[in-house]
Amino acid sequence: MTVVAVVLAGGTGTRLYPASSPETPKQFRAVGPGEGSLLSRAVSRAGRFADEVVVLTREAYADRVPEHAPGAAVLVEPEPKDTGPALTYAAFELRERYDDPVLVCLPSDAHVGDDAAFADDVGRAIDLACERGGLVTLGVEPTYAATGYGYLKPGAAVGSAGSGADGGYEVERFVEKPDAGAAARYREHGCLWNAGTFVWTPDAFLSAARESALAPLVAALGAGDPEPFDAIGAVSVDRGLLEEAENVFVVPTGVEWDDLGTWDALERVRPADGDGNVVDGDALALDAEGCVLATDADSHVSVVGVSDLVVAVHDGRVLVVPKHEAERVREAFAELEERGML
Amino acid sequence: MTVVAVVLAGGTGTRLYPASSPETPKQFRAVGPGEGSLLSRAVSRAGRFADEVVVLTREAYADRVPEHAPGAAVLVEPEPKDTGPALTYAAFELRERYDDPVLVCLPSDAHVGDDAAFADDVGRAIDLACERGGLVTLGVEPTYAATGYGYLKPGAAVGSAGSGADGGYEVERFVEKPDAGAAARYREHGCLWNAGTFVWTPDAFLSAARESALAPLVAALGAGDPEPFDAIGAVSVDRGLLEEAENVFVVPTGVEWDDLGTWDALERVRPADGDGNVVDGDALALDAEGCVLATDADSHVSVVGVSDLVVAVHDGRVLVVPKHEAERVREAFAELEERGML
């Protein structure tokens, strides 16, 4: 068996503008705690459990990968169409490339508090995936009622020979990103965050994909279609496959985890000062409260007399948004793109 | 008679951080409408009424002046001690350097809406200063109840041969920066802004200075003291001399004028968009109101969902402060200086 980590590095991360830009999305940036870029941290994390590391990305970013992941192979998705097509393509392409591969698919741009504990939990997921021939997700135990993540509800416990009784659970169902009330209920009822980390063999995945919305893509790939992605629209692997599939399991993990999707995430992964300000970089907060201040190495931010603001600076580009509206950075990015100002 | 413009360019302009920095105070920056730096605009303005232009500055800035004022002489004040000592030194130094000089002292960092009208009004002040041998200030007709400027109250009208009946007025009294209520009353009662623009002959000034708090400095200069500024503390020319002097006149001017002292000044000298945002540079305001957004040529600011904020960017340094607290930028500057972070 060959454990192959598939690090998904094709995203644009627009909500983390200006750290994310069209040329340099957030996975190539040093966001949050840790050394090096998010991608280099993800590859290093994968090195703890994987025999081989493959970075799956889009054409435009492929040349940047070796600088962040010198030892990794690079697999270029034919077209960016979200995780469903990308992971189908990866399963198809990698199934013959390695000896008896099991794929551990994980994001390139998440924060993980403890790489060793994460590797242990991935190890349990690998055991389960291999023994059951199923599709295994890692489910993060929520530390707050997040509205930014999808949840999954564990069902019956399933043991595995490798990990014993706490090998994992059947997944009863997946649920989309909830509102605040639903998030609190999900958390109370033991639901887990869907952290976008999946373990399966190519055969198990492709077999399930043939019964899913991804079937046309599997067929096109099998037929040697020169433009296989024309067969399919953009869809996440959760919605395109996992939500309806049989044989889906979850292995819970208690590691500190964050998708670093929006700037307010820094509050959860960085310590705050006595006034609740979180600084990632170089900043002065004077009579300011609850702010998130992020700079690159060449910048400095001063805030005076403000509350609950995000101020982020990269490459001479500045973003200011109320912390609780950090999702709206996406709108600014879209508007700047529309105006040709990126 | 030689009209000599004395352009005061020794200030630090800390409230306009980060456009102002210890190395590059605001007079060397292109702030507000107009071409080139504030200093170059002031020198060009002075060229309309002056035969000679002298830039009066501190040692640390002297080398920067020629780049902004190629045709001007540079006079270096021995020590930065506010306008009282600086203008005493200028009067003493320049009295023999030019033939029958009359000095027009003006700031290097103010916004003037109409240079030609300003030159006309300065011309009337020159007439008055020469005929009366007095100390003449330019008084700006207030366009709002400013609390950031000192005021002066005109008294009896005085004619001049050159300018006729509307040559000017005696100054009844000077008043310090008022609170909002007092500012409104001053404006109603016809008080004028003290715009830091003064006309006098060196003899008239030095004669008045000998009867003022500046007397020890005049004596030290006359005695050839090698460290003349040791004789005096820092004091403005208003407080150190004009408030108590005889023979002080004011020539009113209706030009648009602003000292560009704080970032909110940009609202008064730049047009706003439909949501009341004022942009000096390159910015995107999305669902934002009443903001002042200022950038240098290499920067870009995006604000989303915020109101009444100043966001200013220069050389990778960012400042965010509520517009109505723009005075507090001084505190941030002091704190950064204290921490060695400038």
Side-chain angles (χ1 to χ4, degrees):
Chain A
M1 182 182 78
T2 309
V3 176
V4 181
V6 179
V7 179
L8 286 93
T12 53
T14 62
R15 293 172 302 163
L16 231 58
Y17 171 87
S20 270
S21 69
E23 296 75 35
T24 308
K26 64 172 173 168
Q27 55 269 32
F28 298 119
R29 297 286 199 189
V31 179
E35 290 298 309
S37 65
L38 289 171
L39 174 57
S40 72
R41 292 177 214 163
V43 168
S44 149
R45 185 176 307 130
R48 290 176 172 264
F49 54 76
D51 303 306
E52 304 286 344
V53 177
V54 176
V55 175
L56 176 59
T57 191
R58 64 176 70 188
E59 183 70 42
Y61 305 155
D63 289 349
R64 308 286 303 273
V65 171
E67 161 196 349
H68 298 264
V74 180
L75 182 64
V76 176
E77 56 189 351
E79 214 178 315
K81 286 196 161 174
D82 210 337
T83 51
L87 290 175
T88 306
Y89 182 73
F92 188 85
E93 287 292 316
L94 301 178
R95 77 196 191 291
E96 303 290 352
R97 200 177 291 187
Y98 299 99
D99 179 34
D100 188 18
V102 55
L103 308 183
V104 180
C105 310
L106 71 163
S108 62
D109 53 1
H111 164 78
V112 171
D114 181 341
D115 283 354
F118 182 79
D120 287 346
D121 293 330
V122 167
R124 291 158 58 214
I126 292 170
D127 288 344
L128 193 59
C130 293
E131 289 176 32
R132 296 267 177 166
L135 310 177
V136 184
T137 71
L138 219 62
V140 176
E141 291 159 12
T143 49
Y144 67 103
T147 57
Y149 305 139
Y151 285 69
L152 44 83
K153 186 164 169 45
V158 292
S160 76
S163 308
D166 68 342
Y169 301 85
E170 291 177 359
V171 171
E172 201 170 297
R173 63 186 180 100
F174 285 82
V175 280
E176 302 280 319
K177 293 180 185 180
D179 61 27
R185 285 197 305 280
Y186 293 162
R187 190 181 169 206
E188 272 168 35
H189 289 85
C191 290
L192 302 168
W193 290 339
N194 179 353
T197 300
F198 310 111
V199 184
W200 46 59
T201 65
D203 287 343
F205 181 86
L206 292 169
S207 161
R210 279 187 202 98
E211 308 298 317
S212 79
L214 296 165
L217 176 56
V218 182
L221 288 165
D225 186 329
E227 305 281 2
F229 273 44
D230 287 355
I232 191 91
V235 63
S236 71
V237 73
D238 311 67
R239 183 165 278 190
L241 190 154
L242 295 174
E243 289 179 6
E244 304 296 329
E246 308 280 313
N247 228 10
V248 180
F249 304 96
V250 59
V251 169
T253 175
V255 295
E256 181 184 297
W257 187 90
D258 202 289
D259 79 344
L260 300 180
T262 51
W263 282 112
D264 56 319
L266 288 181
E267 283 197 316
R268 299 186 292 267
V269 301
R270 283 271 191 203
D273 70 16
D275 297 316
N277 301 299
V278 171
V279 175
D280 194 19
D282 201 10
L284 170 72
L286 208 64
D287 189 23
E289 291 180 349
C291 291
V292 172
L293 309 173
T295 74
D296 61 9
D298 305 322
S299 306
H300 183 279
V301 167
S302 297
V303 295
V304 183
V306 295
S307 298
D308 299 321
L309 280 186
V310 170
V311 183
V313 193
H314 268 262
D315 282 347
R317 288 177 165 268
V318 180
L319 172 92
V320 181
V321 66
K323 202 170 59 182
H324 66 279
E325 297 185 61
E327 286 280 344
R328 299 189 65 192
V329 176
R330 197 199 305 268
E331 297 171 39
F333 190 94
E335 185 69 25
L336 290 167
E337 199 161 40
E338 170 96 9
R339 298 189 190 182
M341 289 164 78
L342 278 177
Chain B
M1 183 183 78
T2 309
V3 176
V4 181
V6 179
V7 179
L8 286 92
T12 53
T14 61
R15 292 171 302 161
L16 231 59
Y17 171 87
S20 269
S21 68
E23 296 75 34
T24 308
K26 64 173 173 168
Q27 55 269 31
F28 298 120
R29 297 286 198 188
V31 179
E35 291 297 309
S37 66
L38 289 171
L39 173 57
S40 72
R41 292 177 214 162
V43 168
S44 149
R45 185 176 307 130
R48 290 176 173 265
F49 54 76
D51 303 306
E52 304 287 344
V53 177
V54 176
V55 175
L56 176 59
T57 191
R58 64 176 70 188
E59 182 69 41
Y61 305 155
D63 290 349
R64 306 287 302 273
V65 171
E67 161 197 350
H68 299 264
V74 180
L75 182 64
V76 176
E77 57 189 351
E79 215 178 315
K81 286 196 161 174
D82 210 337
T83 51
L87 290 175
T88 306
Y89 182 73
F92 188 85
E93 287 292 314
L94 301 178
R95 77 196 192 290
E96 303 289 352
R97 200 177 292 187
Y98 300 100
D99 178 34
D100 189 18
V102 56
L103 308 183
V104 180
C105 310
L106 70 164
S108 62
D109 53 1
H111 164 78
V112 171
D114 181 341
D115 283 354
F118 182 79
D120 287 347
D121 293 330
V122 167
R124 291 158 57 215
I126 292 169
D127 288 344
L128 192 60
C130 293
E131 288 176 32
R132 296 267 177 167
L135 311 177
V136 184
T137 70
L138 219 62
V140 176
E141 291 159 11
T143 49
Y144 67 104
T147 57
Y149 305 139
Y151 285 70
L152 43 83
K153 186 165 169 48
V158 292
S160 77
S163 308
D166 67 343
Y169 301 85
E170 292 176 358
V171 172
E172 201 170 297
R173 62 185 180 102
F174 286 82
V175 281
E176 303 280 320
K177 294 180 185 180
D179 61 27
R185 285 197 305 280
Y186 293 162
R187 191 182 168 204
E188 271 168 35
H189 289 85
C191 290
L192 303 168
W193 290 339
N194 178 354
T197 300
F198 310 110
V199 184
W200 46 60
T201 64
D203 287 344
F205 181 86
L206 292 169
S207 161
R210 278 186 203 97
E211 308 298 318
S212 79
L214 296 165
L217 176 57
V218 182
L221 289 165
D225 186 330
E227 305 281 1
F229 273 44
D230 287 355
I232 191 91
V235 63
S236 72
V237 73
D238 312 67
R239 183 164 279 189
L241 190 153
L242 296 174
E243 289 179 6
E244 304 296 329
E246 308 281 312
N247 227 11
V248 180
F249 303 96
V250 59
V251 169
T253 175
V255 296
E256 180 184 299
W257 188 90
D258 201 290
D259 78 344
L260 300 180
T262 51
W263 281 112
D264 56 318
L266 288 181
E267 283 198 315
R268 299 186 292 267
V269 301
R270 283 272 191 202
D273 70 16
D275 297 316
N277 301 299
V278 171
V279 175
D280 195 18
D282 201 10
L284 170 72
L286 208 65
D287 190 22
E289 291 180 349
C291 291
V292 172
L293 309 174
T295 74
D296 61 9
D298 304 322
S299 306
H300 183 279
V301 167
S302 298
V303 295
V304 184
V306 295
S307 298
D308 299 321
L309 280 187
V310 170
V311 183
V313 193
H314 268 262
D315 282 347
R317 289 177 165 268
V318 180
L319 172 92
V320 181
V321 66
K323 202 169 60 183
H324 66 279
E325 297 185 61
E327 285 281 344
R328 300 189 65 192
V329 176
R330 197 198 306 268
E331 297 171 39
F333 190 94
E335 184 69 26
L336 290 168
E337 199 161 40
E338 169 96 9
R339 298 190 190 182
M341 289 164 78
L342 278 176

